[in-house]
Structure formats: C-alpha cells, structure tokens
Amino acid sequence: MRGVIFDGKRTQVVDDLEVRNPGPGEVQVAISAAGLCHSDLSVVDGTIPFPVPVVLGHEGAGVVEAVGVGVTHVEPGDHVSLSTLANCGACAECDRGRPTMCRKAIGMPQQPFARGGRPLYQFAANSAFAERTVVKAVQAVRIPKGIPLTSAALIGCGVLTGVGAVLNRARVDRGETVLVIGTGGIGLNVIQGARIAGALTIVAVDSNPAKESVARQFGATHFLTSTEGVRDILPTGAHHAFECVGRVELIRQAIDSLDRHGQAVLLGVPPATAEASFLVASMYLDKSILGCRYGSARPQRDIALYADLYREGHLLLDELVTATYPVEDFEKAAQDAEEGRVARAVLTF
C-alpha cells in the first residue's frame, strides 16, 4: 500500500508499505483523506524529535475496515475521524477527564508498519499518511456519513487543538477579548473557537496580509500584520492571547499584550530546547501563561461535538481545505504549506 515515510534524511512516497491486522482493542482504518499539519513538517526539519523510519501523518479520516476483539463502538463501514490520543482510559488522569495527560499516550511510539521486512514507527499513534493504519479503539470516533471525509480529517488535530484551546483550556467567555498570533490552520481554529465562545473582539495577527480575508471569514473582527497595533484596538490589553506560530519572540509579545488577569496560551511548537523570557513583574496582576496539549481534548466527546457544530453551520470545516492533493504529490503539498499558500493542504488516497 502507499504511504509517506521519513527515514531521517528525506521523505518519500512508497507503494510497498505494510500494516499488521488489528489486535484486541484496535481498529484498522482505510484512510480517505489526511490534513498536512505543520507538526508533520516539524518531524522532517527536526523541530519535533521522533524515531525513524516513521510513517508520517496524524490528522486523518476514513472508513473502518476491521476491528479487533472487544471493540464495540465502531464497526466495519463506519466513517471515523482519528485522534492522536492513544490514552489508556484507566489511569488517574483519564479518570479525571484529562486524557491528554495520560502517560501512556505520550512518547511511546509503536511499530505497526513494515517495509521490506523492516519495522517502521507510527507518528503520533496515528500515521494517517498511509492507505491503512491501525489505531487504538479510543482513537476512532464515529462521525455522520454526510460529512465529507476531506473536511472531517481536519477535526482530529487542527480543530481539536485550536477550538479546544479556546473552549477547554482558556475557557473564553462571552464578551471577552482575544488576540490570535498566527492564522495558519491552528490559528484559524482558535479564531472560530473564540467566535463560537462569544468573544466580543477577536484580533488576528499575521505577517502575511493576504490572510486577512480568511481570518475575517472565520471570525476575526480585526486584522494586523504585527502586534504593534494591538493596544490601539485593546487599550488595556487582551483577556486571552494565543501564540500559534512557535517563535519565542511572539510568545513574549503575547504575554506583553495581556490585560489584567489575562492569560497567554501557547500552541505553537518552537524547537525542543527553545527558551522564552518575560518580565516577571508583569505577571503580578493575576496574569497566567498556559501550556496546552492537543486542545485539552476529550476526543470521543469533542470530535462528536464539533461534527454536530459543523452540521448546524457553526463550525467551518470545508473552508479550511484550501487544496487537495493525491498522496503522490506530497512534496508539492508540503511546499505549499511551508510557503503559506494554504490554510490546510489535504492528501487524498
């Protein structure tokens, strides 16, 4: 079968990839579409360290082909959106409703794939850049068949992360003000999460002025090409500032843009050894800096919710899909994503 692999030096699309059958508590999914997220590119450029060789991709949707023993919530033929959380469901964190903190869901890559007899790692417990993948049952969330799979694919990472950061982590309330730095796939979902939450003013910042129209389409009330004008719009600062790029200087700008009792939420992924600085004295007015993993998501709950919001016209998905590419055109899709020509590039099989 076809898939996109990274061997530590280069990416390539291969057609001789193999995946094992699902075991107990697992699901095999035929991938129909997969979003190209910046995290996939961050594995290639080394920003996210990951063992190789690895099958890339982690934002996918498809059709269930087979289920292992004990799986009852999905069956062959179901349409599913996949999450990256292979959480155990039984530890204290899972019991508290915090599956993103499950230690069995972090840093434990498996090797369900093989090529020429050599095992390959699975990226983010998912590997959606393959015609078929095997995931834990908890990662497969059934969705209505009326949702296009090219759109549904984006729920599993970009939407869960961006919208979830607003609703689950920051808990933006009606009438509050929001600053969003970076209007890529994650930033656009933060913007529409803020809109859904009822934020009064949503200021989008992106160095590329061509992104203004799509930012406003998703809910931005103002658009700037730098944070220098934020105080003109929000004289006392923002209640919530989301950094969606992963640059330490922008993290500092997010913190400096906060109002009293404001909170900066970090979503961008800088290099693993990056350090950021801020004025300690600026924090004493009850300000907060919040990390956020995967939108503090509970995927079985949240993916179903976002699917319903899409069907009711509140959540934009189709509009996120700037372009689709057959998987063989991975390099073209990656180049377009790197150069900011797409909100989300979607690979199809």
Side-chain angles (χ1 to χ4, degrees):
M1 66 179 187
R2 294 168 295 166
V4 181
I5 65 172
F6 174 60
D7 63 7
K9 296 181 180 178
R10 66 188 182 104
T11 58
Q12 58 179 319
V13 181
V14 301
D15 60 8
D16 56 351
L17 194 62
E18 299 175 355
V19 67
R20 62 171 173 77
N21 293 325
E26 294 181 334
V27 177
Q28 184 180 81
V29 178
I31 299 295
S32 297
L36 176 55
C37 175
H38 195 76
S39 294
D40 298 303
L41 302 177
S42 293
V43 173
V44 176
D45 67 22
T47 301
I48 297 178
F50 204 87
V52 293
V54 59
V55 181
L56 295 174
H58 65 286
E59 188 181 68
V63 180
V64 174
E65 282 199 333
V67 301
V69 174
V71 177
T72 59
H73 75 291
V74 294
E75 60 185 23
D78 282 345
H79 287 197
V80 291
S81 178
L82 301 182
S83 88
T84 66
L85 277 185
N87 58 294
C88 71
C91 69
E93 297 295 347
C94 287
D95 192 51
R96 293 186 183 105
R98 298 197 298 240
T100 57
M101 296 297 104
C102 174
R103 284 170 171 77
K104 293 188 177 180
I106 301 174
M108 301 179 67
Q110 304 298 310
Q111 294 177 301
F113 298 96
R115 182 178 182 234
R118 183 184 182 186
L120 287 82
Y121 286 100
Q122 184 174 38
F123 179 53
N126 191 307
S127 290
F129 293 168
E131 285 189 75
R132 294 176 184 83
T133 191
V134 170
V135 298
K136 290 185 66 172
V138 72
Q139 297 176 252
V141 184
R142 187 171 55 214
I143 57 174
K145 291 185 177 180
I147 300 179
L149 289 172
T150 49
S151 298
L154 306 185
I155 300 177
C157 180
V159 176
L160 276 181
T161 300
V163 178
V166 174
L167 302 183
N168 300 330
R169 187 66 170 125
R171 299 189 177 183
V172 172
D173 202 356
R174 290 165 296 181
E176 293 189 322
T177 58
V178 172
L179 169 65
V180 183
I181 302 176
T183 62
I186 299 300
L188 290 176
N189 280 297
V190 171
I191 291 170
Q192 71 171 335
R195 171 178 51 78
I196 291 168
L200 182 64
T201 304
I202 304 170
V203 182
V205 176
D206 199 292
S207 60
N208 183 355
K211 293 186 176 183
E212 178 174 1
S213 61
V214 69
R216 289 187 180 275
Q217 179 184 18
F218 275 74
T221 59
H222 300 75
F223 183 90
L224 300 170
T225 54
S226 77
T227 58
E228 291 181 4
V230 170
R231 293 284 179 171
D232 295 330
I233 302 167
L234 303 173
T236 63
H239 294 124
H240 309 274
F242 296 83
E243 199 283 337
C244 306
V245 180
R247 289 168 48 188
V248 294
E249 67 272 22
L250 297 179
I251 291 173
R252 172 61 182 270
Q253 291 172 28
I255 296 168
D256 289 346
S257 298
L258 294 176
D259 195 356
R260 298 183 178 195
H261 207 275
Q263 51 187 20
V265 183
L266 311 186
L267 296 176
V269 182
T273 58
E275 297 182 0
S277 64
F278 59 92
L279 293 175
V280 176
S282 72
M283 302 302 294
Y284 290 127
L285 292 173
D286 285 0
K287 298 180 185 181
S288 304
I289 302 171
L290 303 181
C292 183
R293 181 171 191 259
Y294 203 40
S296 301
R298 296 166 67 177
Q300 287 289 337
R301 177 198 67 176
D302 292 349
I303 289 177
L305 169 62
Y306 299 153
D308 285 343
L309 288 172
Y310 166 79
R311 295 172 74 193
E312 294 297 325
H314 302 300
L315 183 79
L316 304 181
L317 291 180
D318 304 337
E319 294 81 358
L320 284 168
V321 183
T322 310
T324 60
Y325 306 76
V327 67
E328 290 81 7
D329 288 345
F330 170 79
E331 291 296 337
K332 176 66 166 61
Q335 183 179 6
D336 287 350
E338 286 276 31
E339 295 178 1
R341 289 196 289 265
V342 293
R344 251 321 185 252
V346 175
L347 302 180
T348 58
F349 291 87

